[in-house]
Amino acid sequence: MSLRWKPSQGAESYLIELSEDREFLRVHHFYKTKNFRYEFNSQDSKFYVRVVGINVDGVRGVSSPIISLSEKFAAAPKVKVERPSTVVASSEELRISLGDPKTGGPSSNSMGSPNSQKQVPVSTYYRVNGGEWQKYEGSISLSQEGWNEVEFYSEDILGNKETPKKTKYLKDTTAPQVRLIGEKKGQSGLIEIKSGAELTLQVTEEGSGLEEITINLTARDGSGAEVNLTLSGEEAKKPIKISSLGIDGLSILRWEANDKAGNYIQSEIPLLIDAKHPVCVFAPSEGKLREDGIYYLKENGLITIRCEDPGTGSGIFKLEYKIDDTAVLPYQNPIGFNKGIHTVTVYTSDRVGNQAEYKIKVNVLKPNWQKTGSELQEN
């Protein structure tokens, strides 16, 4: 049975504590993990369980609600296994059993002799993947990853020998492989994308087959949208698309995946998701902005453009401008103007493609007074 929980902020690891009483007057034993999931075997079914987060200093957090494993095991669906079977296992040393070798294993009473009701001493032999025949002593160790073909037969002391039987076992010790494809790191050292863009995860599982994958994408500060997906079977065989719409800033893409053999993997990637375009301000020299929204400059006045990408943005990629209907130029230095009224259009974008356009009016005044009037006469 599998128990899952949501990550606890600040937790470096988790204690799964088990007790024989619901009040947890005494912890019988515990397991420690860095994952957000734990698999329980039937020997734990009599216990109550709770999960506690532990930070890097070893300080315990608040305990989870208490769960009765006996109730969970009782409610779990029962699966009937028939032989010959195709067995899937994730243990590093897969061992299988053909039965009690003292009674002839699976082929006891199968010789068809008149004395079959009596216990005739028999021996069972086996071989793996066409190798040498060996005497069966109670279990068979399968060390080869992937499919293993096991042949076996029994023989009694009178020389009666049954026809060899075959069965196949899949030894799978490799967890599913999950990777983010089609994305590159930006100047921040993180993968940077525009908010609303799709992320693509590719799942590879060449052993027993994917059982389930759970994906979570959320902003680190907890603001904005959150994406939660759970896929299994055929849905997870093709690339998985995750939308980042509504998410902004430093975010975490986290996934958990397990295959049909019980192999489990959990991982996460920090992302920079940028939802905001750059913001620009204009600073006049030798002039000022009037209430009518026009920048008034003296003859030698200049306009300086300053643009920033807000917060944890991806950074300015392009800053260009044009005066009236002239060509678009890259902005490098403060802009000067001829006498008269002009329209300045500014184009800017960040490194993930957020764009903005600004327009301002500039009026350059150049006084040209007539030197007329009466001359002063000296008495």
Side-chain angles (χ1 to χ4, degrees), residues 37-38 84 139 141 155 170 173 188 222 232 234 236 239 245 296 336 347:
R37 168 187 177 137
Y38 195 83
S139 67
S141 177
E155 182 178 1
L170 176 63
T173 63
S188 64
S232 59
E234 295 297 322
L245 187 64
Y296 285 85
Y347 308 95

Side-chain angles (χ1 to χ4, degrees), residues 291-306:
E291 292 179 358
D292 54 8
I294 300 177
Y295 289 89
Y296 285 85
L297 302 180
K298 292 182 180 180
E299 181 179 359
N300 298 317
L302 303 171
I303 291 286
T304 299
I305 305 173
R306 298 190 182 96

Side-chain angles (χ1 to χ4, degrees), residues 241-287:
K241 303 291 185 180
I242 305 107
S243 173
S244 61
L245 187 64
I247 301 177
D248 183 44
L250 184 59
S251 304
I252 301 295
L253 175 64
R254 180 182 293 112
W255 61 80
E256 302 174 56
N258 60 286
D259 61 21
K260 296 181 186 298
N263 298 299
Y264 169 80
I265 186 173
Q266 180 273 327
S267 189
E268 63 183 33
I269 296 177
L271 307 172
L272 182 60
I273 301 179
D274 192 347
K276 301 180 178 69
H277 61 70
V279 176
C280 298
V281 295
F282 304 90
S285 65
E286 301 295 327

Side-chain angles (χ1 to χ4, degrees), residues 109-117 120 156 158 160:
N109 294 333
S110 62
M111 304 303 176
S113 67
N115 298 322
S116 61
Q117 292 183 352
V120 179
D156 64 17
L158 302 177
N160 295 309

Side-chain angles (χ1 to χ4, degrees), residues 83 96-107 124 136-139:
R83 295 187 64 87
I96 61 174
S97 176
L98 301 176
D100 186 352
K102 295 180 181 179
T103 60
S107 55
T124 298
Y136 174 67
E137 302 291 351
S139 67

Side-chain angles (χ1 to χ4, degrees), residues 209-213 231-240 260:
L210 184 72
E211 178 71 22
E212 184 178 84
I213 180 169
L231 302 173
S232 59
E234 295 297 322
E235 292 180 296
K237 288 186 177 180
K238 54 188 177 182
I240 302 169
K260 296 181 186 298

